[in-house]
């Protein structure tokens, strides 16, 4: 009686151990930790499960982190960040180029305006020089004429030219230390014309313009 009782207990324990072992193997195989698919294939079919494979283990139910996928994901993130930096730098470069182009355009416009001013100034100076030479030539010619003939020529000129010539005659007289014919020429002119010229000579500054 005691032997049967002990045998029964031992059998139960052995059965429990076998069940635990088989259950553990079944579970580990299902999880993909060990490979016992061929042995447990009938049990999977009875349970309505499909035997676990290395493909399904890594694709449908991964047990560990997919290092390659994580690495690729991080590389994509790094590339995205790098692309954003490149885009920002490209935008900054384009903005700097646009600003430089604007500055260059402004400088070119200023240079053009400066050239125009210099051209106008040079033309004015040349015009003044040419007129000054012409007035001096007229004054020298009139100084060599008879006073009556010189006055006839002066009367035919406009008032400003007469004033310029008379002032140039005075300048030549001072330079050469000779007497000026200007006052005498005025005395031979019609009184009204002479008075008008004298009035303008007093009221206007000494200029050839």
């Amino acid at each position: 009686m005691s032997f049967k009782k002990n045998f029964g207990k031992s059998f139960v324990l052995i059965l429990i151990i076998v069940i635990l072992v088989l259950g553990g193997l079944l579970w580990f195989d299902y999880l993909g930790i060990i490979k016992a698919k061929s042995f447990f294939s009938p049990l999977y079919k009875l349970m309505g499960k499909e035997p676990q494979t290395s493909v399904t283990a890594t694709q449908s139910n991964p047990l560990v982190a997919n290092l390659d996928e994580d690495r690729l994901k991080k590389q994509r993130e790094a590339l995205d960040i790098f692309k954003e930096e490149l885009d920002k730098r490209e935008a900054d470069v384009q903005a700097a180029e646009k600003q430089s182009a604007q500055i260059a355009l402004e400088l070119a416009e200023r240079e053009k305006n400066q050239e125009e001013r210099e051209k106008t100034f040079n033309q004015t100076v040349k015009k003044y020089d040419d007129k000054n030479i012409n007035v001096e030539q007229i004054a020298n010619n009139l100084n060599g004429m008879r006073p009556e003939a010189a006055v006839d020529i002066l009367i035919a000129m406009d008032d400003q030219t007469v004033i310029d010539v008379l002032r140039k005659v005075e300048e030549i007289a001072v330079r050469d230390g000779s007497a000026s014919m200007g006052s005498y020429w005025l005395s031979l002119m019609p009184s009204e014309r002479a008075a008008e010229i004298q009035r303008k000579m007093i009221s206007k500054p000494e200029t050839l313009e």
Side-chain angles (χ1 to χ4, degrees):
M1 185 72 179
S2 177
F3 173 76
K4 291 182 178 181
K5 184 176 181 181
N6 291 332
F7 176 79
K9 290 181 179 180
S10 299
F11 179 78
V12 172
L13 290 175
I14 292 172
L15 182 61
I16 292 173
I17 291 172
V18 171
I19 292 173
L20 290 176
V21 171
L22 293 176
L25 291 174
L26 182 64
W27 179 248
F28 286 144
D29 179 74
Y30 178 75
L31 294 178
I33 298 175
I34 63 174
K35 296 180 179 180
K37 293 179 287 298
S38 60
F39 180 76
F40 289 109
S41 179
L43 294 177
Y44 278 118
K45 292 180 179 180
L46 289 175
M47 297 171 60
K49 300 290 184 179
E50 190 171 336
Q52 190 74 9
T53 63
S54 58
V55 175
T56 56
T58 56
Q59 292 183 353
S60 61
N61 296 310
L63 300 178
V64 294
N66 192 325
L67 298 180
D68 291 337
E69 184 177 352
D70 290 343
R71 189 179 297 110
L72 288 175
K73 182 178 180 181
K74 291 181 180 179
Q75 289 177 351
R76 292 192 191 98
E77 292 176 353
L79 288 175
D80 290 339
I81 295 174
F82 183 67
K83 184 176 181 301
E84 291 177 359
E85 289 293 330
L86 288 180
D87 292 341
K88 183 177 181 301
R89 291 183 182 179
E90 183 178 0
D92 293 340
V93 169
Q94 290 178 352
E97 289 178 350
K98 183 177 180 181
Q99 185 177 6
S100 298
Q102 181 66 27
I103 294 174
L105 182 63
E106 293 177 357
L107 290 176
E109 187 68 22
R110 291 181 183 178
E111 184 177 357
K112 181 180 178 181
N113 293 336
Q114 181 66 24
E115 290 177 354
E116 290 293 333
R117 285 194 294 269
E118 290 179 359
K119 182 178 179 180
T120 302
F121 175 77
N122 292 333
Q123 289 176 347
T124 302
V125 171
K126 186 177 185 302
K127 179 181 178 181
Y128 176 84
D129 291 341
D130 292 344
K131 186 174 183 180
N132 190 38
I133 293 173
N134 292 334
V135 169
E136 186 170 358
Q137 184 65 45
I138 293 172
N140 288 327
N141 292 337
L142 293 178
N143 278 332
M145 294 181 181
R146 292 182 300 104
E148 293 78 6
V151 170
D152 290 340
I153 294 174
L154 289 172
I155 291 174
M157 298 178 181
D158 61 88
D159 290 350
Q160 184 59 54
T161 304
V162 173
I163 292 171
D164 293 338
V165 171
L166 292 176
R167 283 174 174 167
K168 180 59 67 175
V169 167
E170 292 291 336
E171 181 183 330
I172 293 173
V174 172
R175 184 183 65 197
D176 296 342
S178 60
S180 173
M181 294 295 294
S183 298
Y184 184 61
W185 290 340
L186 285 172
S187 67
L188 297 178
M189 288 183 180
S191 59
E192 292 183 359
R193 180 76 185 278
E196 181 67 15
I197 291 174
Q198 288 177 327
R199 184 186 67 79
K200 290 181 178 179
M201 290 181 68
I202 295 173
S203 61
K204 292 184 177 181
E206 293 187 3
T207 177
L208 295 178
E209 292 296 326

